[in-house]
Amino acid sequence: MTPGRRLLRVASLGAALGLWQLLTVWDVNLWLRFEQFPTVGEVGSALADRLGTAAYWEDLGHSLRRIIVGFLLAAVLGVAVGTAIARSRWASDLLGPLVEVVRPVPAIALVPVAILLLPTNEQGIVFITFAAAFFPVVVSARHAVRALSPVWEEAVLTLGGGRLRVLFSVVLPGALPGIFGGLSVGIGVSWICVISAEMISGEYGVGYRTWQDYTIVNFPGVFVGMVTIGALGWLTSTAVELVGRRATAWLPRPAGRAASRTTRTAAVRSGGPPSAHSGRELAATHPAAPAADLRKEPVP
């Protein structure tokens, strides 16, 4: 990412905070009412006070543990079920209808089911987190596996590879981009549902503490919880995206982007800025690979 893009992102956040501060300081009360909103300074002061308490970090640890356990279970089982539905007619007939019937039910609506089935509230919250991420992962894995070209599988079978070799050398690697798309969606939905579950039946956690602040009309504390939830969600989503980029680093890059990156690297090594002339020379000396070369057949 270029320095200009980083500056633009920081400026957008700064502008939002500045607008928030102005609207609350001036007690704007038009269609939207800001007279009861805490100012940015009040929220920052409350956050600084919370950071120095053990209860804040305990709540954060409880929420993170619930997210990690539920999301990892959803990732493993979701990929397995989605792949099975896409690859097996029996699995599609047995599991497909069940997935399609249960998938539209909001995960937070399963709270009564979790209370009835599971012995502790902690297990119930993890179950809600798991259910929230499971179905996006199943759907993304199913579509990603079905979208694979049969040519790759036929090549492995022709060379003597078996079903396991096809699965681990062709199917799962080829479906990784789509699977990580579902994982990115799943981690966001998991945060929504774990916070809601903590508000309903939790004893610890960021959602529980945010709800307690609301019940005692501590609005700066409510916004501290919202800021904490947003920061945790952003960090976990970024982590999933980084893992996805590492896992799919073998994918071919667009020719224009690769040429631009190589041009900049050559310009830095030569001590001068990249130019249009150097870009044309690079294109002439390193022509784009044909489409057939970008999709090489996997070998056993």
Side-chain angles (χ1 to χ4, degrees):
M1 185 184 297
T2 62
R5 292 187 62 190
R6 291 193 182 95
L7 180 61
L8 181 61
R9 296 188 177 195
V10 173
S12 67
L13 291 176
L17 292 176
L19 180 61
W20 176 5
Q21 180 71 12
L22 291 176
L23 292 173
T24 52
V25 168
W26 292 345
D27 291 334
V28 174
N29 188 11
L30 299 174
W31 180 60
L32 299 175
R33 301 172 297 175
F34 290 92
E35 70 271 9
Q36 294 184 353
F37 256 53
T39 64
V40 176
E42 292 172 348
V43 175
S45 177
L47 177 60
D49 293 339
R50 290 285 179 89
L51 290 175
T53 62
Y56 177 83
W57 298 105
E58 290 177 0
D59 290 333
L60 191 147
H62 280 86
S63 295
L64 276 177
R65 184 178 68 248
R66 292 160 178 165
I67 278 288
I68 291 173
V69 174
F71 180 73
L72 288 179
L73 288 174
V76 174
L77 295 180
V79 171
V81 172
T83 304
I85 292 175
R87 299 277 300 171
S88 170
R89 184 172 57 186
W90 286 99
S92 179
D93 293 338
L94 291 175
L95 300 178
L98 181 62
V99 168
E100 293 302 322
V101 169
V102 180
R103 183 166 64 95
V105 179
I108 198 62
L110 298 176
V111 169
V113 177
I115 293 174
L116 292 174
L117 289 179
L118 300 170
T120 65
N121 288 340
E122 184 70 19
Q123 295 176 1
I125 295 174
V126 172
F127 171 75
I128 297 300
T129 307
F130 160 79
F134 175 74
F135 293 104
V137 177
V138 169
V139 173
S140 65
R142 182 184 64 187
H143 288 301
V145 171
R146 285 178 176 173
L148 293 176
S149 173
V151 175
W152 299 346
E153 179 178 349
E154 292 170 359
V156 175
L157 294 175
T158 301
L159 294 173
R163 287 182 173 271
L164 289 179
R165 190 58 183 269
V166 169
L167 178 63
F168 290 103
S169 297
V170 176
V171 175
L172 292 180
L176 275 181
I179 290 174
F180 272 98
L183 292 175
S184 297
V185 174
I187 191 67
V189 180
S190 293
W191 273 112
I192 296 173
C193 292
V194 73
I195 296 301
S196 302
E198 288 175 349
M199 289 181 175
I200 295 173
S201 61
E203 297 179 358
Y204 302 98
V206 179
Y208 169 80
R209 195 66 56 187
T210 303
W211 182 254
Q212 293 301 310
D213 287 330
Y214 173 75
T215 58
I216 62 175
V217 199
N218 179 15
F219 292 121
V222 172
F223 278 84
V224 168
M226 294 169 62
V227 170
T228 302
I229 295 166
L232 292 175
W234 174 72
L235 288 175
T236 51
S237 297
T238 302
V240 171
E241 291 181 3
L242 289 177
V243 172
R245 291 176 187 174
R246 292 292 182 89
T248 59
W250 50 270
L251 285 173
R253 303 298 178 185
R257 185 181 303 175
S260 176
R261 186 182 298 111
T262 309
T263 303
R264 289 196 298 269
T265 304
V268 170
R269 290 177 178 175
S270 63
S275 62
H277 179 69
S278 61
R280 288 192 297 269
E281 289 180 350
L282 181 68
T285 57
H286 299 280
D293 292 337
L294 295 179
R295 297 179 57 184
K296 293 183 179 179
E297 304 293 338
V299 295

